Amino acid sequence: MTDNERDSPGVVAPPPLIYLGPLVLGLLLKARLPVPFLPRKMTRGLGWPLLGNGVLLMNWFLWTLRSAGTPVNLEKPVSSLVTEGPFQYTRNPSYLSMVMIYTRIVSLASAFWAILFLPATPVVIRRGVIEREECYLERRFGEEYLRYRVRVRRWI
């Protein structure tokens, strides 16, 4: 095992895949067992702002990490504790943006089954990714991270 392998949170799976799995399963179930969910006007009214804001938040997150010289890849060691940009408001802007994008896709597709899976996804993210990241950051940055954690909420 290399130093880089030990110096990472050791998450259960890449977070985008954790969101993509239930989404794809829900969309496949919708194709096999369609259940009316939302009226078309509501899907557009709800969906576009969620997509726009989710994509903006994801791009802000990526730009902030790249500006700080910290890798996005969870398998690589972080170089610094990033507390600027979206990290001033949420400790997990990327996962929040993925929830927004997931919800947008579900609303546009009016995919009842996929929305049923959504609550489980943040639970898996929390247990399999966030809690591991938090332990890693506490080990890596100690008191600096603990102060940040007290100051900024996990989600919003």
Side-chain angles (χ1 to χ4, degrees), residues 81 83 141-149 151:
L81 180 63
T83 61
F141 299 105
E143 282 299 315
E144 181 185 6
Y145 175 70
L146 292 174
R147 284 190 303 273
Y148 168 70
R149 192 172 156 173
R151 198 174 65 248

Side-chain angles (χ1 to χ4, degrees), residues 59-123:
N59 285 327
W60 191 20
F61 156 78
L62 293 170
W63 181 83
T64 301
L65 285 185
R66 288 187 181 123
S67 296
T70 297
V72 175
N73 184 342
L74 293 174
E75 295 302 314
K76 296 185 178 181
V78 297
S79 56
S80 62
L81 180 63
V82 180
T83 61
E84 301 300 316
F87 294 96
Q88 297 173 75
Y89 309 104
T90 174
R91 294 194 316 258
N92 298 292
S94 65
Y95 310 137
L96 181 58
S97 71
M98 288 184 219
V99 167
M100 294 166 74
I101 293 167
Y102 181 113
T103 306
R104 188 278 187 240
I105 292 168
V106 167
S107 71
L108 184 63
S110 193
F112 174 76
W113 300 109
I115 201 69
L116 287 181
F117 299 142
L118 178 59
T121 306
V123 171

